[in-house]
């Protein structure tokens, strides 16, 4: 098994230092979030880096055993992030350095505790890979909708560890999936901005931001700073 890509995780440490241990040596109390889009140069890099940024904002020096990464179903292996995606992330204050695109592999799905996809097609592709991925794979907006319906008081407190809280959140969301359906066919989609002007990238960035905010709040138990 290979080592996870450096620069993709948020791990334990005084300032949420990144986990760079090998896959074999990863601690048992690690929770891995995998963001999936098509090329892994626009939507999933934005989602990955915004997740890391917002978690770091919430947790500060508390850190937490979260690893956040991304890949693409037709991933541009080794490619840099699209320049407009970098601009959007920079405008949010998120780190854009060290990113390289990856093609989605079985090992990424196997080791992920939560897979969040840009679209329903991506979700279907992840689930079709097997590895019992169905109960832990959602579109980003689907997961947001489910998370909003979960009473935070029913989740383990952060003092019990963010990993236990995150696992409980995924179980609760999976249990609600059949009851809280999307209001429209397109409600769970984040559309591809590849090749579009910066203004469209910014609108996609705002969509992702709005979808991530309640998810990160539920994961960390800490609301966004106002």
């Amino acid at each position: 098994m290979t080592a996870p890509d450096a620069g993709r995780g948020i791990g334990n440490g005084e300032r949420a230092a990144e986990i760079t241990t090998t896959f074999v040596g990863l601690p048992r109390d690690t929770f891995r979030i995998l963001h999936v889009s098509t090329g892994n140069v626009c939507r999933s890099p934005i989602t990955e880096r915004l997740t890391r940024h917002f978690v770091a904002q919430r947790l500060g020096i508390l850190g937490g055993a979260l690893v956040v990464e991304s890949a693409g179903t037709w991933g541009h292996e080794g490619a840099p992030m699209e320049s407009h995606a970098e601009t959007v992330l920079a405008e949010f204050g998120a780190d854009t350095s060290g990113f390289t695109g990856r093609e989605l592999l079985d090992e990424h799905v196997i080791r992920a505790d939560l897979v969040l996809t840009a679209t329903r097609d991506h979700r279907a592709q992840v689930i079709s890979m097997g590895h019992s991925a169905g109960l832990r794979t959602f579109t980003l907006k689907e997961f947001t909708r489910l998370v909003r319906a979960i009473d935070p008081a029913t989740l383990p407190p952060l003092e019990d560890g963010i990993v236990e809280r995150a696992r409980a959140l995924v179980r609760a969301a999976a249990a609600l999936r059949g009851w809280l359906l999307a209001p429209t066919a397109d409600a769970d989609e984040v559309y591809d901005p590849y090749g579009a002007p910066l203004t469209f990238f910014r609108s996609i960035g705002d969509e992702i931001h709005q979808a991530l905010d309640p998810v990160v709040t539920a994961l960390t138990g800490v609301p966004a700073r106002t």
Side-chain angles (χ1 to χ4, degrees), residues 186-198:
D186 294 334
D188 289 340
E189 307 284 292
V190 176
Y191 290 106
D192 193 355
Y194 186 77
L198 179 56

Side-chain angles (χ1 to χ4, degrees), residues 6-198:
R8 291 183 178 271
I10 297 176
N12 290 317
E14 290 188 349
R15 285 189 275 184
E18 294 169 357
I19 289 178
T20 55
T21 53
T22 63
F23 177 31
V24 174
L26 281 173
R28 290 182 62 191
D29 61 346
T30 297
F31 187 90
R32 302 182 74 94
I33 301 173
L34 175 66
H35 293 292
V36 175
S37 63
T38 303
N40 194 214
V41 291
C42 297
R43 288 168 291 181
S44 51
I46 292 174
T47 315
E48 172 196 328
R49 293 304 177 94
L50 283 183
T51 302
R52 292 172 55 183
H53 179 62
F54 296 144
V55 168
Q57 282 185 329
R58 303 293 209 285
L59 296 182
I61 63 172
L62 295 178
L66 291 181
V67 176
V68 184
E69 54 191 352
S70 63
T73 55
W74 290 86
H76 299 177
E77 188 72 29
M81 192 186 311
E82 282 289 298
S83 61
H84 287 341
E86 287 189 334
T87 298
V88 168
L89 285 171
E91 290 173 351
F92 279 104
D95 180 25
T96 64
S97 63
F99 182 88
T100 54
R102 302 191 304 176
E103 182 176 357
L104 181 66
L105 303 176
D106 288 81
E107 68 187 67
H108 301 145
V109 177
I110 290 169
R111 66 193 186 187
D113 297 287
L114 172 62
V115 184
L116 297 176
T117 69
T119 69
R120 291 169 296 168
D121 283 346
H122 296 134
R123 182 185 63 194
Q125 289 179 65
V126 171
I127 293 173
S128 73
M129 295 172 73
H131 315 303
S132 303
L135 291 178
R136 51 196 167 90
T137 302
F138 309 79
T139 73
L140 171 62
K141 288 186 175 180
E142 174 191 22
F143 194 66
T144 301
R145 184 175 67 254
L146 298 172
V147 163
R148 288 184 184 276
I150 297 169
D151 182 356
T154 64
L155 300 174
L158 190 59
E159 290 77 10
D160 289 353
I162 195 168
V163 171
E164 289 306 311
R165 185 180 178 91
R167 288 173 179 163
L169 183 67
V170 173
R171 290 194 299 268
L176 286 172
R177 186 174 358 219
W179 298 94
L180 293 176
L181 302 179
T184 66
D186 294 334
D188 289 340
E189 307 284 292
V190 176
Y191 290 106
D192 193 355
Y194 186 77
L198 179 56

